[in-house]
Amino acid sequence: MTRYRKSNLEHLESEAIFVLREVAAQFERPVMLFSGGKDSIVMVHLAVRAFHPAPIPFPLMHIDTGHNFQETLDFRDELVARVGAQLIVRKVQDSIDQGRAKEESGPNPSRNALQTVTLLDAINELKIDCAIGGGRRDEEKARAKERFFSHRDVFGQWDPKNQRPELWNVFNGRKAPGEHFRVFPLSNWTELDVWQYIALREIPLPSLYFAHRREVLERDGMLLANTPFITPVGGEVYTERLIRFRTIGDATCTGAFESAASSVEEIIAEVAAARITERGGRSDDKRSEAAMEDRKRQGYF
C-alpha cells in the first residue's frame, strides 16, 4: 500500500480528536449523527481513537429516512456491534405517520428534507445539547461558512451572521436553555483527505463505495439505482452498468457514477482527477441555488 505523507493527515486527525474531546468536556448529552456514509464512519473511527481504551462516551444517532440502501443498514449494525457503541434510531416514517411531516408527491419523493423534522424532534425528546456531524467545508458553498462549533437557536435554526469566533481553537459552547450546537470535527478535511485517511488507517467501508454492477436508470443527468423507492417514468428503463457511489444517502436522490474503481487506491486516483464535485450526484442539492443554505437555516445540518 502506498505510504502517504502523514504530516497533513496526522494534523487533521489530531484536530478532529481535539474537537471530539472538547465536545465530551463541554456538553452533557451529545450524540454523533451517523448516516452510514464514509465521513460518519471516519468520525466513529476518530472517536474510538480519541477515547481509547474507554468506550465512545456518546451514542450514535441515525435519522432513518426509510429509503436507505440495505448495504448501508447492514454495515451500520456491524460497525455498532464491532465498536460497542450505543445506537439511537429515529425514523422519518414515524414523523409522517404522526402528521409531523408530509411525504412528497411524484415518482421518487425524497425524504431528505423531512429529516429536519425528525432530527429536531429527537433533539427535543432526548434533550440533546450537541449533535456531531460529518460536514466538511469543501462539500458545498453553504457549508464553507460553518464553524467547528455551530450554534443553533431554540428552533434549531442556524444564523450564519451570528457565528462565534474560534481564535486559537478556543470553542465557546455556552448556550441558553433549549438551544444546542452542531459540531463538525471534519470541517477542514477534503474528500481526498478522507479517502487517504481511510487508506492510512485501513478503515472498512460499505461495498457501495466500490465499483460493482447494478441496474440504474438515467434521470436529469443522474444515475439512480433500482430500488423499491424509484418509479420509472416517461419510458425510462433500467440498464446494468459498472458504477459506484461517492456519497451515500436517501436512495431516491443519491446518484451513482460510472466507475471501475474497486479499491481505495483506485478511488483516491479517481477523486484526485475528478472535475465533478462529490455532491454533484445529489439531486436534492440541485433543487435551487440555495437548497443547502435553506436546509441549514431550517435545522437540517
Side-chain angles (χ1 to χ4, degrees), residues 28-271:
E28 296 181 0
R29 300 179 68 86
V31 296
M32 177 173 282
L33 300 178
F34 185 81
S35 67
K38 66 183 185 308
D39 297 317
S40 58
I41 292 168
V42 165
M43 284 204 307
V44 172
H45 176 86
L46 289 165
V48 170
R49 292 180 69 86
F51 302 104
H52 180 79
I56 300 174
F58 36 72
L60 311 184
M61 186 165 76
H62 182 204
I63 303 301
D64 184 355
T65 66
H67 289 170
N68 296 289
F69 293 100
Q70 187 59 45
E71 293 94 328
T72 303
L73 298 178
D74 292 343
F75 188 91
R76 177 199 70 185
D77 294 341
E78 184 276 329
L79 176 63
V80 167
R82 173 158 46 87
V83 303
Q86 177 189 355
L87 176 66
I88 299 170
V89 178
R90 289 295 181 270
K91 298 182 178 181
V92 170
Q93 185 63 54
D94 291 339
S95 299
I96 295 171
D97 294 342
Q98 295 162 9
R100 296 279 297 146
K102 183 178 180 181
E103 185 85 81
E104 290 184 354
S105 59
N108 60 319
S110 172
R111 291 183 172 181
N112 253 12
L114 304 188
Q115 291 181 86
T116 302
V117 174
T118 309
L119 173 57
L120 293 179
D121 284 351
I123 287 172
N124 290 331
E125 171 201 350
L126 301 172
K127 295 180 172 56
I128 292 166
D129 55 4
C130 173
I132 308 165
R136 308 188 321 267
R137 294 191 183 110
D138 76 315
E139 288 183 276
E140 204 273 342
K141 58 188 178 183
R143 291 188 175 184
K145 304 175 183 179
E146 199 66 88
R147 301 283 200 270
F148 281 105
F149 275 39
S150 183
H151 177 261
R152 297 297 194 268
D153 64 19
V154 293
F155 302 106
Q157 296 177 331
W158 172 73
D159 181 1
K161 296 180 181 178
N162 191 30
Q163 296 192 87
R164 299 171 179 177
E166 294 180 340
L167 303 176
W168 306 291
N169 279 349
V170 176
F171 303 125
N172 182 354
R174 295 180 181 178
K175 60 179 184 59
E179 299 176 344
H180 74 279
F181 276 79
R182 306 292 173 88
V183 171
F184 302 101
L186 305 184
S187 289
N188 288 334
W189 298 50
T190 66
E191 182 187 9
L192 188 59
D193 292 329
V194 171
W195 279 108
Q196 290 181 338
Y197 186 75
I198 288 167
L200 179 68
R201 298 301 186 200
E202 300 181 344
I203 301 173
L205 292 176
S207 59
L208 291 167
Y209 279 110
F210 302 95
H212 59 286
R213 303 203 71 85
R214 185 180 290 258
E215 286 191 340
V216 296
L217 60 78
E218 187 167 353
R219 178 178 296 167
D220 298 327
M222 292 177 50
L223 299 179
L224 297 175
N226 187 356
T227 67
F229 321 118
I230 300 290
T231 303
V233 295
E236 292 174 336
V237 295
Y238 287 105
T239 58
E240 187 177 277
R241 302 196 195 184
L242 185 64
I243 59 96
R244 75 175 192 87
F245 294 88
R246 286 175 68 185
T247 178
I248 295 177
D250 190 309
T252 62
C253 60
T254 302
F257 292 83
E258 289 193 274
S259 171
S262 58
S263 69
V264 173
E265 298 294 333
E266 291 174 345
I267 290 173
I268 288 172
E270 183 179 87
V271 169

